Amino acid sequence: MAVTDEAIEKIKGMIVSGALRPGDRLPKESELAAELGLSRNSLREAVRALSLIRILDVRQGDGTYVTSLDPQLLLEALSFVVDFHRDDTVLEFLAVRRILEPAATAMAATRISEAELALLGRQLDALGAQPSVEELVAADLEFHRGIVQSSGNSVLCSLLDGLSGPTTRARIWRGLTQEDAVSRTLHEHRAILSALRDRDAEAARSWATVHVASVEQWLRSTL
């Protein structure tokens, strides 16, 4: 194991064991290096790596702290990783969305508030019958983000938010090349909203599955 990896594991062990808790300030570098049996250089590299993935927060002139370790904060690193996807992995991202998004939509059916339903309705109405592809894709992201937030599961929300990036270009491409893509998307959004208004979790799940699968099916046929 590389010395930096060993340092990371030792700091991780302190956090997992509860020796360091969310919000705690790490001991001085020299003290912590001696305590863990590490060189100051390897400790410094480990702190830098853990700050990149939002586990540690390095505050200039103040010290290094354990972050809140909130799942949403930690999952921000997922977006960074996802940005390095290749075009041939878009189908895999869509497959994961097809697993997670219908589940989140079904959860939202029993938890979404009347105010949130009204907002989704206004967003769809504002688009009109013939939005541009760019307008539709932006609205699509906002529509699904609002629904997933209503599921009440912040981890699920963060995961889907991180996964949405790679599929955006595919959705724009579909909108520009598939004749009925815009009208189909609007119809599917209306169907999802109707199921949510009816508090019908299974119908909401089914329509969300159809919605994601239609993009996936189109992309498979074009590759």
Side-chain angles (χ1 to χ4, degrees), residues 1-11 36-38 46:
M1 182 183 291
V3 289
T4 301
D5 292 339
E6 181 186 1
I8 289 170
E9 285 300 315
K10 287 187 174 181
I11 296 172
L36 297 178
L38 301 167

Side-chain angles (χ1 to χ4, degrees), residues 16-177:
V16 171
S17 70
L20 285 173
R21 298 182 179 277
D24 281 357
R25 186 178 187 274
L26 268 64
K28 289 181 180 179
E29 186 182 89
S30 57
E31 296 173 5
L32 186 58
E35 180 184 342
L36 297 178
L38 301 167
S39 71
R40 293 177 67 170
N41 187 57
S42 62
L43 177 61
R44 203 172 294 131
E45 290 298 321
V47 167
R48 186 178 291 116
L50 290 170
S51 68
L52 283 173
I53 57 173
R54 312 303 293 275
I55 290 173
L56 297 179
D57 178 19
V58 180
R59 303 176 191 174
Q60 200 65 36
D62 186 24
T64 300
Y65 292 79
V66 180
T67 66
S68 65
L69 301 180
D70 183 85
Q72 288 179 283
L73 180 70
L74 298 181
L75 285 168
E76 284 180 11
L78 174 66
S79 298
F80 181 80
V81 174
V82 162
D83 284 340
F84 289 96
H85 80 282
R86 304 182 309 276
D87 285 347
D88 60 356
T89 63
V90 173
L91 280 169
E92 294 181 7
F93 285 112
L94 281 167
V96 175
R97 269 194 71 206
R98 181 162 46 84
I99 294 167
L100 297 180
E101 199 155 296
T105 306
M107 289 167 65
T110 60
R111 301 180 183 189
I112 193 166
S113 69
E114 291 299 324
E116 288 167 331
L117 285 169
L119 177 59
L120 291 174
R122 289 195 299 272
Q123 288 173 344
L124 290 183
D125 291 341
L127 268 179
Q130 294 182 314
S132 70
V133 172
E134 291 78 8
E135 288 172 337
L136 181 63
V137 170
D140 182 77
L141 291 170
E142 198 61 32
F143 180 77
H144 293 291
R145 184 179 291 117
I147 292 172
V148 176
Q149 285 174 342
S150 299
S151 74
N153 188 313
S154 61
V155 174
L156 195 51
C157 190
S158 296
L159 279 170
L160 284 166
D161 218 29
L163 290 169
S164 66
T167 63
T168 299
R169 186 165 61 174
R171 281 179 277 183
I172 292 175
W173 183 18
R174 178 199 182 203
L176 291 171
T177 59

